Amino acid sequence: MSMLDKIKGLMKGHPDQTRQGVEKGGDFVDKKTGGKYGGQVDSAQQKLNDEFGGRRPPTGEQ
């Protein structure tokens, strides 16, 4: 079992914590890039949240 498979297994059972981590990671990337890749970051966050069962809160409720 690869490290990525282990991480996925740990994340599957904790959708709220996973969503928070994805949001923090995206915010970090946005800050470091000055928001230059905001659309791509948002898309990646959505895909990760869909994959692991976390639901992104509607805009303005973060």
Side-chain angles (χ1 to χ4, degrees), residues 3-15:
M3 180 69 95
L4 186 56
D5 291 335
K6 290 179 183 180
I7 292 170
K8 285 181 181 181
L10 291 171
M11 294 169 72
K12 284 263 186 202
H14 306 282

Side-chain angles (χ1 to χ4, degrees), residues 15-27:
D16 292 335
Q17 291 87 351
T18 299
R19 182 187 52 77
Q20 290 173 353
V22 168
E23 292 298 322
K24 284 183 180 181
D27 291 346

Side-chain angles (χ1 to χ4, degrees), residues 13-54:
H14 306 282
D16 292 335
Q17 291 87 351
T18 299
R19 182 187 52 77
Q20 290 173 353
V22 168
E23 292 298 322
K24 284 183 180 181
D27 291 346
F28 176 79
V29 172
D30 279 338
K31 183 177 178 182
K32 288 293 186 178
T33 62
K36 185 175 180 180
Y37 302 102
Q40 290 91 335
V41 170
D42 289 343
S43 177
Q45 287 174 313
Q46 186 62 50
K47 287 179 183 179
L48 285 169
N49 285 329
D50 289 345
E51 174 73 24
F52 296 110

